[in-house]
PDB file of all heavy atoms in Angstrom:
ATOM      1  N   SER C   1     -27.629 -15.403 -38.122  1.00 73.00           N
ATOM      2  CA  SER C   1     -28.775 -15.277 -37.229  1.00 73.00           C
ATOM      3  C   SER C   1     -28.892 -13.839 -36.756  1.00 73.00           C
ATOM      4  O   SER C   1     -27.896 -13.103 -36.700  1.00 73.00           O
ATOM      5  CB  SER C   1     -28.626 -16.217 -36.026  1.00 73.00           C
ATOM      6  OG  SER C   1     -29.614 -15.970 -35.057  1.00 73.00           O
ATOM      7  N   GLU C   2     -30.090 -13.472 -36.399  1.00 80.00           N
ATOM      8  CA  GLU C   2     -30.309 -12.139 -35.841  1.00 80.00           C
ATOM      9  C   GLU C   2     -29.887 -12.075 -34.382  1.00 80.00           C
ATOM     10  O   GLU C   2     -29.834 -11.005 -33.784  1.00 80.00           O
ATOM     11  CB  GLU C   2     -31.789 -11.764 -35.960  1.00 80.00           C
ATOM     12  CG  GLU C   2     -32.708 -12.710 -35.189  1.00 80.00           C
ATOM     13  CD  GLU C   2     -34.175 -12.370 -35.350  1.00 80.00           C
ATOM     14  OE1 GLU C   2     -34.583 -11.289 -34.873  1.00 80.00           O
ATOM     15  OE2 GLU C   2     -34.896 -13.183 -35.944  1.00 80.00           O
ATOM     16  N   PHE C   3     -29.587 -13.233 -33.785  1.00 87.00           N
ATOM     17  CA  PHE C   3     -29.269 -13.298 -32.363  1.00 87.00           C
ATOM     18  C   PHE C   3     -27.759 -13.340 -32.142  1.00 87.00           C
ATOM     19  O   PHE C   3     -27.032 -14.071 -32.815  1.00 87.00           O
ATOM     20  CB  PHE C   3     -29.896 -14.543 -31.728  1.00 87.00           C
ATOM     21  CG  PHE C   3     -31.397 -14.579 -31.817  1.00 87.00           C
ATOM     22  CD1 PHE C   3     -32.026 -15.289 -32.832  1.00 87.00           C
ATOM     23  CD2 PHE C   3     -32.174 -13.907 -30.894  1.00 87.00           C
ATOM     24  CE1 PHE C   3     -33.407 -15.326 -32.926  1.00 87.00           C
ATOM     25  CE2 PHE C   3     -33.556 -13.937 -30.977  1.00 87.00           C
ATOM     26  CZ  PHE C   3     -34.175 -14.648 -31.998  1.00 87.00           C
ATOM     27  N   ALA C   4     -27.288 -12.582 -31.155  1.00 91.00           N
ATOM     28  CA  ALA C   4     -25.908 -12.715 -30.695  1.00 91.00           C
ATOM     29  C   ALA C   4     -25.800 -13.989 -29.874  1.00 91.00           C
ATOM     30  O   ALA C   4     -26.777 -14.439 -29.271  1.00 91.00           O
ATOM     31  CB  ALA C   4     -25.519 -11.504 -29.862  1.00 91.00           C
ATOM     32  N   MET C   5     -24.601 -14.582 -29.857  1.00 93.00           N
ATOM     33  CA  MET C   5     -24.429 -15.891 -29.239  1.00 93.00           C
ATOM     34  C   MET C   5     -23.389 -15.881 -28.120  1.00 93.00           C
ATOM     35  O   MET C   5     -22.433 -15.099 -28.143  1.00 93.00           O
ATOM     36  CB  MET C   5     -24.008 -16.922 -30.294  1.00 93.00           C
ATOM     37  CG  MET C   5     -25.060 -17.197 -31.363  1.00 93.00           C
ATOM     38  SD  MET C   5     -26.478 -18.103 -30.696  1.00 93.00           S
ATOM     39  CE  MET C   5     -27.515 -18.229 -32.163  1.00 93.00           C
ATOM     40  N   ASP C   6     -23.599 -16.754 -27.136  1.00 95.00           N
ATOM     41  CA  ASP C   6     -22.629 -17.039 -26.081  1.00 95.00           C
ATOM     42  C   ASP C   6     -22.110 -18.465 -26.249  1.00 95.00           C
ATOM     43  O   ASP C   6     -22.730 -19.286 -26.928  1.00 95.00           O
ATOM     44  CB  ASP C   6     -23.287 -16.942 -24.691  1.00 95.00           C
ATOM     45  CG  ASP C   6     -23.636 -15.525 -24.303  1.00 95.00           C
ATOM     46  OD1 ASP C   6     -22.975 -14.590 -24.786  1.00 95.00           O
ATOM     47  OD2 ASP C   6     -24.573 -15.357 -23.503  1.00 95.00           O
ATOM     48  N   TRP C   7     -20.982 -18.748 -25.586  1.00 96.00           N
ATOM     49  CA  TRP C   7     -20.514 -20.132 -25.505  1.00 96.00           C
ATOM     50  C   TRP C   7     -21.469 -20.934 -24.626  1.00 96.00           C
ATOM     51  O   TRP C   7     -21.927 -20.458 -23.586  1.00 96.00           O
ATOM     52  CB  TRP C   7     -19.113 -20.195 -24.907  1.00 96.00           C
ATOM     53  CG  TRP C   7     -18.032 -19.782 -25.844  1.00 96.00           C
ATOM     54  CD1 TRP C   7     -17.621 -18.511 -26.107  1.00 96.00           C
ATOM     55  CD2 TRP C   7     -17.230 -20.647 -26.652  1.00 96.00           C
ATOM     56  NE1 TRP C   7     -16.601 -18.525 -27.037  1.00 96.00           N
ATOM     57  CE2 TRP C   7     -16.342 -19.822 -27.390  1.00 96.00           C
ATOM     58  CE3 TRP C   7     -17.163 -22.025 -26.824  1.00 96.00           C
ATOM     59  CZ2 TRP C   7     -15.398 -20.342 -28.280  1.00 96.00           C
ATOM     60  CZ3 TRP C   7     -16.232 -22.537 -27.717  1.00 96.00           C
ATOM     61  CH2 TRP C   7     -15.372 -21.705 -28.438  1.00 96.00           C
ATOM     62  N   GLY C   8     -21.741 -22.177 -25.030  1.00 95.00           N
ATOM     63  CA  GLY C   8     -22.536 -23.095 -24.213  1.00 95.00           C
ATOM     64  C   GLY C   8     -21.642 -24.234 -23.762  1.00 95.00           C
ATOM     65  O   GLY C   8     -20.839 -24.101 -22.857  1.00 95.00           O
ATOM     66  N   TYR C   9     -21.751 -25.366 -24.431  1.00 96.00           N
ATOM     67  CA  TYR C   9     -20.886 -26.522 -24.167  1.00 96.00           C
ATOM     68  C   TYR C   9     -19.469 -26.207 -24.629  1.00 96.00           C
ATOM     69  O   TYR C   9     -19.258 -25.506 -25.625  1.00 96.00           O
ATOM     70  CB  TYR C   9     -21.433 -27.732 -24.930  1.00 96.00           C
ATOM     71  CG  TYR C   9     -20.589 -28.973 -24.854  1.00 96.00           C
ATOM     72  CD1 TYR C   9     -20.733 -29.878 -23.802  1.00 96.00           C
ATOM     73  CD2 TYR C   9     -19.653 -29.272 -25.848  1.00 96.00           C
ATOM     74  CE1 TYR C   9     -19.972 -31.037 -23.746  1.00 96.00           C
ATOM     75  CE2 TYR C   9     -18.883 -30.426 -25.798  1.00 96.00           C
ATOM     76  CZ  TYR C   9     -19.043 -31.306 -24.745  1.00 96.00           C
ATOM     77  OH  TYR C   9     -18.298 -32.446 -24.688  1.00 96.00           O
ATOM     78  N   ILE C  10     -18.469 -26.747 -23.903  1.00 96.00           N
ATOM     79  CA  ILE C  10     -17.076 -26.606 -24.345  1.00 96.00           C
ATOM     80  C   ILE C  10     -16.273 -27.793 -23.834  1.00 96.00           C
ATOM     81  O   ILE C  10     -16.436 -28.222 -22.688  1.00 96.00           O
ATOM     82  CB  ILE C  10     -16.448 -25.268 -23.876  1.00 96.00           C
ATOM     83  CG1 ILE C  10     -15.048 -25.103 -24.426  1.00 96.00           C
ATOM     84  CG2 ILE C  10     -16.453 -25.170 -22.360  1.00 96.00           C
ATOM     85  CD1 ILE C  10     -14.478 -23.712 -24.249  1.00 96.00           C
ATOM     86  N   ALA C  11     -15.442 -28.367 -24.716  1.00 96.00           N
ATOM     87  CA  ALA C  11     -14.587 -29.498 -24.339  1.00 96.00           C
ATOM     88  C   ALA C  11     -13.462 -29.607 -25.352  1.00 96.00           C
ATOM     89  O   ALA C  11     -13.584 -29.138 -26.490  1.00 96.00           O
ATOM     90  CB  ALA C  11     -15.386 -30.799 -24.309  1.00 96.00           C
ATOM     91  N   THR C  12     -12.363 -30.208 -24.940  1.00 94.00           N
ATOM     92  CA  THR C  12     -11.262 -30.472 -25.871  1.00 94.00           C
ATOM     93  C   THR C  12     -10.964 -31.965 -25.896  1.00 94.00           C
ATOM     94  O   THR C  12     -11.125 -32.666 -24.892  1.00 94.00           O
ATOM     95  CB  THR C  12      -9.976 -29.725 -25.474  1.00 94.00           C
ATOM     96  OG1 THR C  12      -9.578 -30.124 -24.154  1.00 94.00           O
ATOM     97  CG2 THR C  12     -10.176 -28.226 -25.528  1.00 94.00           C
ATOM     98  N   GLU C  13     -10.540 -32.427 -27.046  1.00 92.00           N
ATOM     99  CA  GLU C  13     -10.039 -33.788 -27.189  1.00 92.00           C
ATOM    100  C   GLU C  13      -8.964 -33.762 -28.269  1.00 92.00           C
ATOM    101  O   GLU C  13      -9.239 -33.419 -29.419  1.00 92.00           O
ATOM    102  CB  GLU C  13     -11.159 -34.766 -27.563  1.00 92.00           C
ATOM    103  CG  GLU C  13     -10.667 -36.209 -27.627  1.00 92.00           C
ATOM    104  CD  GLU C  13     -11.789 -37.221 -27.620  1.00 92.00           C
ATOM    105  OE1 GLU C  13     -12.806 -36.992 -26.956  1.00 92.00           O
ATOM    106  OE2 GLU C  13     -11.624 -38.250 -28.294  1.00 92.00           O
ATOM    107  N   GLY C  14      -7.735 -34.110 -27.874  1.00 92.00           N
ATOM    108  CA  GLY C  14      -6.631 -34.018 -28.815  1.00 92.00           C
ATOM    109  C   GLY C  14      -6.427 -32.575 -29.254  1.00 92.00           C
ATOM    110  O   GLY C  14      -6.356 -31.658 -28.433  1.00 92.00           O
ATOM    111  N   ASN C  15      -6.373 -32.365 -30.562  1.00 94.00           N
ATOM    112  CA  ASN C  15      -6.149 -31.013 -31.094  1.00 94.00           C
ATOM    113  C   ASN C  15      -7.444 -30.350 -31.515  1.00 94.00           C
ATOM    114  O   ASN C  15      -7.440 -29.422 -32.328  1.00 94.00           O
ATOM    115  CB  ASN C  15      -5.186 -31.077 -32.286  1.00 94.00           C
ATOM    116  CG  ASN C  15      -5.790 -31.811 -33.471  1.00 94.00           C
ATOM    117  OD1 ASN C  15      -6.734 -32.584 -33.304  1.00 94.00           O
ATOM    118  ND2 ASN C  15      -5.237 -31.588 -34.650  1.00 94.00           N
ATOM    119  N   ARG C  16      -8.569 -30.799 -30.950  1.00 96.00           N
ATOM    120  CA  ARG C  16      -9.859 -30.255 -31.341  1.00 96.00           C
ATOM    121  C   ARG C  16     -10.598 -29.651 -30.150  1.00 96.00           C
ATOM    122  O   ARG C  16     -10.558 -30.193 -29.048  1.00 96.00           O
ATOM    123  CB  ARG C  16     -10.718 -31.332 -32.008  1.00 96.00           C
ATOM    124  CG  ARG C  16     -10.122 -31.753 -33.346  1.00 96.00           C
ATOM    125  CD  ARG C  16     -10.826 -32.944 -33.950  1.00 96.00           C
ATOM    126  NE  ARG C  16     -10.135 -33.326 -35.182  1.00 96.00           N
ATOM    127  CZ  ARG C  16     -10.600 -33.113 -36.409  1.00 96.00           C
ATOM    128  NH1 ARG C  16     -11.785 -32.539 -36.565  1.00 96.00           N
ATOM    129  NH2 ARG C  16      -9.915 -33.467 -37.465  1.00 96.00           N
ATOM    130  N   LEU C  17     -11.225 -28.517 -30.423  1.00 96.00           N
ATOM    131  CA  LEU C  17     -12.036 -27.829 -29.430  1.00 96.00           C
ATOM    132  C   LEU C  17     -13.497 -27.923 -29.868  1.00 96.00           C
ATOM    133  O   LEU C  17     -13.845 -27.471 -30.967  1.00 96.00           O
ATOM    134  CB  LEU C  17     -11.622 -26.361 -29.324  1.00 96.00           C
ATOM    135  CG  LEU C  17     -12.520 -25.448 -28.478  1.00 96.00           C
ATOM    136  CD1 LEU C  17     -12.423 -25.813 -27.003  1.00 96.00           C
ATOM    137  CD2 LEU C  17     -12.142 -23.984 -28.690  1.00 96.00           C
ATOM    138  N   TYR C  18     -14.315 -28.524 -29.042  1.00 97.00           N
ATOM    139  CA  TYR C  18     -15.737 -28.662 -29.348  1.00 97.00           C
ATOM    140  C   TYR C  18     -16.525 -27.633 -28.545  1.00 97.00           C
ATOM    141  O   TYR C  18     -16.215 -27.359 -27.380  1.00 97.00           O
ATOM    142  CB  TYR C  18     -16.226 -30.067 -28.994  1.00 97.00           C
ATOM    143  CG  TYR C  18     -15.568 -31.151 -29.810  1.00 97.00           C
ATOM    144  CD1 TYR C  18     -14.530 -31.915 -29.274  1.00 97.00           C
ATOM    145  CD2 TYR C  18     -15.974 -31.396 -31.118  1.00 97.00           C
ATOM    146  CE1 TYR C  18     -13.921 -32.910 -30.032  1.00 97.00           C
ATOM    147  CE2 TYR C  18     -15.366 -32.390 -31.879  1.00 97.00           C
ATOM    148  CZ  TYR C  18     -14.340 -33.132 -31.332  1.00 97.00           C
ATOM    149  OH  TYR C  18     -13.735 -34.110 -32.085  1.00 97.00           O
ATOM    150  N   GLY C  19     -17.543 -27.068 -29.172  1.00 97.00           N
ATOM    151  CA  GLY C  19     -18.351 -26.078 -28.486  1.00 97.00           C
ATOM    152  C   GLY C  19     -19.761 -26.034 -29.032  1.00 97.00           C
ATOM    153  O   GLY C  19     -20.089 -26.667 -30.039  1.00 97.00           O
ATOM    154  N   SER C  20     -20.595 -25.266 -28.340  1.00 97.00           N
ATOM    155  CA  SER C  20     -21.946 -25.011 -28.830  1.00 97.00           C
ATOM    156  C   SER C  20     -22.260 -23.535 -28.629  1.00 97.00           C
ATOM    157  O   SER C  20     -21.683 -22.870 -27.763  1.00 97.00           O
ATOM    158  CB  SER C  20     -22.979 -25.883 -28.119  1.00 97.00           C
ATOM    159  OG  SER C  20     -23.234 -25.421 -26.809  1.00 97.00           O
ATOM    160  N   ALA C  21     -23.169 -23.022 -29.456  1.00 96.00           N
ATOM    161  CA  ALA C  21     -23.562 -21.619 -29.399  1.00 96.00           C
ATOM    162  C   ALA C  21     -24.973 -21.497 -28.855  1.00 96.00           C
ATOM    163  O   ALA C  21     -25.908 -22.128 -29.377  1.00 96.00           O
ATOM    164  CB  ALA C  21     -23.485 -20.995 -30.793  1.00 96.00           C
ATOM    165  N   VAL C  22     -25.136 -20.724 -27.784  1.00 95.00           N
ATOM    166  CA  VAL C  22     -26.456 -20.473 -27.208  1.00 95.00           C
ATOM    167  C   VAL C  22     -26.769 -18.982 -27.345  1.00 95.00           C
ATOM    168  O   VAL C  22     -25.869 -18.145 -27.362  1.00 95.00           O
ATOM    169  CB  VAL C  22     -26.530 -20.882 -25.717  1.00 95.00           C
ATOM    170  CG1 VAL C  22     -26.266 -22.361 -25.544  1.00 95.00           C
ATOM    171  CG2 VAL C  22     -25.559 -20.078 -24.876  1.00 95.00           C
ATOM    172  N   ARG C  23     -28.028 -18.677 -27.469  1.00 94.00           N
ATOM    173  CA  ARG C  23     -28.419 -17.277 -27.622  1.00 94.00           C
ATOM    174  C   ARG C  23     -28.029 -16.486 -26.379  1.00 94.00           C
ATOM    175  O   ARG C  23     -28.176 -16.944 -25.243  1.00 94.00           O
ATOM    176  CB  ARG C  23     -29.915 -17.185 -27.892  1.00 94.00           C
ATOM    177  CG  ARG C  23     -30.277 -17.798 -29.227  1.00 94.00           C
ATOM    178  CD  ARG C  23     -31.729 -17.632 -29.604  1.00 94.00           C
ATOM    179  NE  ARG C  23     -31.996 -18.322 -30.862  1.00 94.00           N
ATOM    180  CZ  ARG C  23     -33.182 -18.353 -31.465  1.00 94.00           C
ATOM    181  NH1 ARG C  23     -34.221 -17.726 -30.918  1.00 94.00           N
ATOM    182  NH2 ARG C  23     -33.340 -19.005 -32.602  1.00 94.00           N
ATOM    183  N   GLN C  24     -27.519 -15.311 -26.594  1.00 93.00           N
ATOM    184  CA  GLN C  24     -26.967 -14.486 -25.519  1.00 93.00           C
ATOM    185  C   GLN C  24     -27.998 -14.283 -24.405  1.00 93.00           C
ATOM    186  O   GLN C  24     -29.161 -13.983 -24.656  1.00 93.00           O
ATOM    187  CB  GLN C  24     -26.540 -13.135 -26.077  1.00 93.00           C
ATOM    188  CG  GLN C  24     -25.447 -12.461 -25.286  1.00 93.00           C
ATOM    189  CD  GLN C  24     -24.833 -11.317 -26.062  1.00 93.00           C
ATOM    190  OE1 GLN C  24     -25.407 -10.240 -26.129  1.00 93.00           O
ATOM    191  NE2 GLN C  24     -23.673 -11.558 -26.666  1.00 93.00           N
ATOM    192  N   GLY C  25     -27.525 -14.481 -23.159  1.00 91.00           N
ATOM    193  CA  GLY C  25     -28.393 -14.304 -22.001  1.00 91.00           C
ATOM    194  C   GLY C  25     -29.237 -15.507 -21.650  1.00 91.00           C
ATOM    195  O   GLY C  25     -30.061 -15.434 -20.733  1.00 91.00           O
ATOM    196  N   THR C  26     -29.025 -16.632 -22.344  1.00 92.00           N
ATOM    197  CA  THR C  26     -29.852 -17.823 -22.104  1.00 92.00           C
ATOM    198  C   THR C  26     -29.396 -18.618 -20.884  1.00 92.00           C
ATOM    199  O   THR C  26     -30.211 -19.091 -20.100  1.00 92.00           O
ATOM    200  CB  THR C  26     -29.840 -18.741 -23.342  1.00 92.00           C
ATOM    201  OG1 THR C  26     -30.426 -18.058 -24.445  1.00 92.00           O
ATOM    202  CG2 THR C  26     -30.629 -20.012 -23.080  1.00 92.00           C
ATOM    203  N   SER C  27     -28.104 -18.792 -20.717  1.00 89.00           N
ATOM    204  CA  SER C  27     -27.579 -19.670 -19.662  1.00 89.00           C
ATOM    205  C   SER C  27     -27.982 -19.182 -18.277  1.00 89.00           C
ATOM    206  O   SER C  27     -28.102 -17.974 -18.032  1.00 89.00           O
ATOM    207  CB  SER C  27     -26.053 -19.751 -19.757  1.00 89.00           C
ATOM    208  OG  SER C  27     -25.661 -20.320 -20.983  1.00 89.00           O
ATOM    209  N   TRP C  28     -28.172 -20.133 -17.372  1.00 82.00           N
ATOM    210  CA  TRP C  28     -28.515 -19.797 -15.987  1.00 82.00           C
ATOM    211  C   TRP C  28     -27.303 -19.224 -15.277  1.00 82.00           C
ATOM    212  O   TRP C  28     -26.216 -19.787 -15.339  1.00 82.00           O
ATOM    213  CB  TRP C  28     -29.009 -21.042 -15.234  1.00 82.00           C
ATOM    214  CG  TRP C  28     -30.238 -21.650 -15.811  1.00 82.00           C
ATOM    215  CD1 TRP C  28     -30.334 -22.839 -16.486  1.00 82.00           C
ATOM    216  CD2 TRP C  28     -31.562 -21.100 -15.772  1.00 82.00           C
ATOM    217  NE1 TRP C  28     -31.626 -23.068 -16.886  1.00 82.00           N
ATOM    218  CE2 TRP C  28     -32.405 -22.007 -16.467  1.00 82.00           C
ATOM    219  CE3 TRP C  28     -32.115 -19.939 -15.262  1.00 82.00           C
ATOM    220  CZ2 TRP C  28     -33.769 -21.793 -16.631  1.00 82.00           C
ATOM    221  CZ3 TRP C  28     -33.473 -19.721 -15.430  1.00 82.00           C
ATOM    222  CH2 TRP C  28     -34.278 -20.633 -16.094  1.00 82.00           C
ATOM    223  N   THR C  29     -27.474 -18.096 -14.604  1.00 77.00           N
ATOM    224  CA  THR C  29     -26.373 -17.471 -13.878  1.00 77.00           C
ATOM    225  C   THR C  29     -26.723 -17.169 -12.426  1.00 77.00           C
ATOM    226  O   THR C  29     -25.838 -16.910 -11.615  1.00 77.00           O
ATOM    227  CB  THR C  29     -25.941 -16.156 -14.559  1.00 77.00           C
ATOM    228  OG1 THR C  29     -27.072 -15.274 -14.642  1.00 77.00           O
ATOM    229  CG2 THR C  29     -25.410 -16.427 -15.964  1.00 77.00           C
ATOM    230  N   SER C  30     -27.990 -17.183 -12.069  1.00 71.00           N
ATOM    231  CA  SER C  30     -28.388 -16.837 -10.701  1.00 71.00           C
ATOM    232  C   SER C  30     -28.580 -18.099  -9.866  1.00 71.00           C
ATOM    233  O   SER C  30     -29.208 -19.058 -10.302  1.00 71.00           O
ATOM    234  CB  SER C  30     -29.698 -16.040 -10.714  1.00 71.00           C
ATOM    235  OG  SER C  30     -30.151 -15.808  -9.396  1.00 71.00           O
ATOM    236  N   PHE C  31     -28.016 -18.089  -8.658  1.00 64.00           N
ATOM    237  CA  PHE C  31     -28.220 -19.216  -7.765  1.00 64.00           C
ATOM    238  C   PHE C  31     -28.786 -18.782  -6.412  1.00 64.00           C
ATOM    239  O   PHE C  31     -28.862 -19.562  -5.479  1.00 64.00           O
ATOM    240  CB  PHE C  31     -26.911 -19.994  -7.544  1.00 64.00           C
ATOM    241  CG  PHE C  31     -25.752 -19.140  -7.108  1.00 64.00           C
ATOM    242  CD1 PHE C  31     -25.527 -18.876  -5.776  1.00 64.00           C
ATOM    243  CD2 PHE C  31     -24.888 -18.611  -8.053  1.00 64.00           C
ATOM    244  CE1 PHE C  31     -24.456 -18.091  -5.379  1.00 64.00           C
ATOM    245  CE2 PHE C  31     -23.801 -17.822  -7.660  1.00 64.00           C
ATOM    246  CZ  PHE C  31     -23.590 -17.564  -6.318  1.00 64.00           C
TER     247      PHE C  31
END
């Protein structure tokens, strides 16, 4: 992809790490 990515979803179960990739700067950070 032409887009850089950030971590989105993240979880572990057993010996597996599940995650999702979101486009950089997408996640909400301001409250």
Side-chain angles (χ1 to χ4, degrees):
S1 171
E2 61 182 294
F3 299 97
M5 295 290 179
D6 290 333
W7 284 84
Y9 175 87
I10 184 168
T12 59
E13 184 164 325
N15 66 339
R16 293 172 184 253
L17 171 69
Y18 296 101
S20 75
V22 299
R23 294 185 183 180
Q24 206 166 79
T26 297
S27 297
W28 299 109
T29 57
S30 175
F31 52 88

